[in-house]
Amino acid sequence: FMVQMPTAVPRHTGATARRPQFGTTLVVFGKLPWGRAACHANPMAVCETNQGTFKIQLLLEQMPVTASNFIDLAKTGFYDGLHFHRVIPDFMCQFGCPYTRNLLEQGQHGTGGPAVGSEFEVLDGSGRRITRAQNYENPRGNIPDEFTYQIPNDRSTVNMANSGFPNSGSSQISINVADNDFLNFWDKQTDSAHPVFGYVVEGMDVVDKITKVQTNQRDNPLAP
């Protein structure tokens, strides 16, 4: 698995919105799926897998902390060589755990993240930096929850995975392959609260294919 980002990631520019141009790594678009207007360029992540390539539009303006965290990890090569560690048809697929590089340690898959104390810049023009902190027993660097925009966990959206505790997101993300309203942070059906910070704009058929690979009883793919 590999994520490619443009060399220069845009900050807020006030550019005039226009319709998507899905062939490029940098996209300015007019209207988001849930009806909110964008006002500047948001970057595109190109995700290469052995099942094919898909592209994620990152909502940097709406979710600057979560998107900037992902951008920093992608640009530093954190995601290169990782494997999807949890895939469930008609639900979602999840990746971003560094332990998945070791296929012999499946018991640790889904428990890792970036280093505690690592930092990244929030790409909103403010110049602020965030330090990933260890908030719970699991020794990984976490980021603050960003419960700002109510972007529903509909099919093709990308959310920040977490351990169920506040401020426990790190590097792991999930891609919804169905409408999963119970994952919305404002939906009180369950305790799940997963903020959306992007959506797949190309290659959703590849994501569907990934969710249908053969798995074990823990929903881990049998083959990387």
Side-chain angles (χ1 to χ4, degrees):
F1 186 91
M2 180 178 293
V3 178
Q4 298 179 2
M5 295 298 304
T7 302
V9 175
R11 293 178 173 85
H12 191 283
T13 63
T16 302
R18 62 178 185 272
R19 292 185 62 80
Q21 297 179 11
F22 291 147
T24 63
T25 55
L26 192 61
V27 178
V28 181
F29 54 97
K31 204 168 187 181
L32 303 177
W34 60 97
R36 295 184 182 273
C39 70
H40 72 91
N42 278 323
M44 184 96 74
V46 181
C47 305
E48 299 176 352
T49 79
N50 60 6
Q51 300 294 316
T53 298
F54 60 91
K55 298 179 180 180
I56 299 174
Q57 185 80 64
L58 299 171
L59 303 179
L60 183 59
E61 179 191 0
Q62 293 77 18
M63 304 291 288
V65 172
T66 312
S68 296
N69 173 67
F70 180 88
I71 291 168
D72 174 76
L73 295 172
K75 289 177 71 67
T76 56
F78 181 92
Y79 292 118
D80 295 353
L82 301 189
H83 306 290
F84 282 86
H85 63 270
R86 187 172 178 233
V87 300
I88 304 176
D90 301 316
F91 179 28
M92 64 89 205
C93 57
Q94 187 171 340
F95 74 88
C97 174
Y99 295 140
T100 60
R101 289 191 177 93
N102 186 347
L103 299 179
L104 300 179
E105 296 292 341
Q106 285 197 340
Q108 287 188 304
H109 292 185
T111 65
V116 174
S118 57
E119 296 183 344
F120 64 95
E121 181 185 356
V122 180
L123 302 173
D124 59 358
S126 66
R128 63 178 168 147
R129 300 186 64 83
I130 288 180
T131 300
R132 300 182 180 99
Q134 180 179 346
N135 295 328
Y136 301 96
E137 293 181 2
N138 198 316
R140 64 186 180 197
N142 301 123
I143 65 171
D145 290 329
E146 196 169 25
F147 296 150
T148 51
Y149 276 81
Q150 292 190 358
I151 309 170
N153 276 273
D154 291 343
R155 172 176 165 80
S156 82
T157 55
V158 179
N159 69 45
M160 173 55 66
N162 56 51
S163 62
F165 294 100
N167 304 309
S168 61
S170 57
S171 58
Q172 297 181 37
I173 74 170
S174 297
I175 305 174
N176 294 302
V177 297
D179 293 348
N180 297 315
D181 291 343
F182 67 94
L183 298 180
N184 297 334
F185 63 83
W186 65 93
D187 188 306
K188 303 307 179 184
Q189 298 179 64
T190 70
D191 293 331
S192 296
H194 298 275
V196 168
F197 69 98
Y199 63 101
V200 176
V201 295
E202 188 174 319
M204 194 61 197
D205 58 324
V206 174
V207 178
D208 287 329
K209 185 178 179 182
I210 291 171
T211 66
K212 296 175 182 177
V213 300
Q214 190 173 3
T215 61
N216 61 19
Q217 293 181 338
R218 300 180 66 237
D219 300 316
N220 305 136
L222 297 182

